[in-house]
Amino acid sequence: MSDYRRWYVPGGTYFFTIVTYQRRRLFDDEANVGRLRAAVATVLKEQPFEVVAAVVLPDHMHFLWTLPPGDDDYSKRIGRMKVEFTKSLNGISMPRLAVSESRRKHRESDVWQRRAWEHVVRDEHDFERHFDYIHYNPVKHGYASCPHLWPYSSFHKWVGRGVCDQRWACQCEGRSPMSLDFTDIDNSVGE
């Protein structure tokens, strides 16, 4: 058994990678993206926190969350989000995937991988790297040629607030692609 230890920092900002079971492409379906948003909204009402940045891809998602001062319980929030989303699928006809005895024993379904990967943001540079990584992820995976072309991203919110330039990492109108290297983050999240 692994000796994995999570680092909890009250009021901290965390980067998360959350993956579907067997990389199932649940979020190719726009309705499922809506169900996920509703699940996050439910958790936000129960245990407030700030969703700083987010991107939802077909088989995984990345978040930057900042917890309230004195609060370090991101595990409960992620667990509740997973449960709320999974419950929202009741009555939806989807092919079932085989699950192991271990997953059945832990009452786990064929929706989510067992764990989420987390990283405590250490400083402003670390924040900016993960913020950019989230918004560039659809381009990295080949789902969009530019961050502004991916609909399930907080990039649009930050463009609207004047924090991000819509042309950041954009290849539209013959622009040359940016040379962005996120190898350090990719290696740590297993992408």
Side-chain angles (χ1 to χ4, degrees):
M1 183 168 197
S2 66
D3 191 27
Y4 181 77
R5 304 207 190 254
R6 295 196 182 276
W7 188 18
Y8 294 92
V9 176
T13 297
Y14 298 86
F15 169 81
F16 301 106
T17 300
I18 303 169
V19 182
T20 60
Y21 181 62
Q22 294 183 353
R23 291 275 181 170
R24 188 175 190 175
R25 296 175 63 100
L26 289 174
F27 301 106
D28 275 342
D29 182 345
E30 187 175 344
N32 283 343
V33 175
R35 289 180 184 95
L36 178 67
R37 286 180 173 148
V40 171
T42 296
V43 177
L44 279 164
K45 287 178 194 166
E46 294 174 359
Q47 286 189 287
F49 60 99
E50 180 185 3
V51 179
V52 179
V55 67
V56 178
L57 301 171
D59 62 359
H60 72 285
M61 62 205 65
H62 299 290
F63 291 110
L64 269 176
W65 288 357
T66 299
L67 300 185
D71 188 342
D72 65 1
D73 199 356
Y74 61 81
S75 294
K76 182 177 180 183
R77 288 171 171 91
I78 291 172
R80 285 286 300 134
M81 179 193 71
K82 287 179 171 182
V83 165
E84 286 298 312
F85 176 79
T86 301
K87 284 185 346 188
S88 77
L89 297 176
N90 286 342
I92 307 275
S93 177
M94 290 188 342
R96 304 301 299 177
L97 300 177
V99 295
S100 68
E101 181 59 37
S102 173
R103 288 185 73 82
R104 282 194 295 278
K105 176 182 168 188
H106 289 96
R107 298 181 315 144
E108 295 171 332
S109 68
D110 61 349
V111 177
W112 299 106
Q113 278 190 7
R114 185 168 282 169
R115 295 195 170 129
W117 189 88
E118 106 284 332
H119 166 79
V120 177
V121 175
R122 297 178 304 268
D123 55 31
E124 190 66 29
H125 175 72
D126 196 31
F127 175 89
E128 289 173 9
R129 293 278 299 149
H130 286 85
F131 184 87
D132 288 347
Y133 179 84
I134 285 171
H135 295 134
Y136 191 72
N137 217 247
V139 176
K140 177 193 141 193
H141 287 287
Y143 297 124
S145 59
C146 307
H148 72 89
L149 295 175
W150 188 251
Y152 311 123
S153 170
S154 60
F155 185 72
H156 310 286
K157 171 179 89 171
W158 292 109
V159 168
R161 291 183 180 177
V163 173
C164 295
D165 181 341
Q166 182 161 333
R167 295 172 303 203
W168 176 78
C170 183
Q171 298 177 50
C172 294
E173 300 170 5
R175 289 183 191 92
S176 297
M178 288 180 77
S179 178
L180 296 170
D181 181 14
F182 294 109
T183 307
D184 55 331
I185 298 172
D186 286 339
N187 290 339
S188 64
V189 298
E191 283 205 54

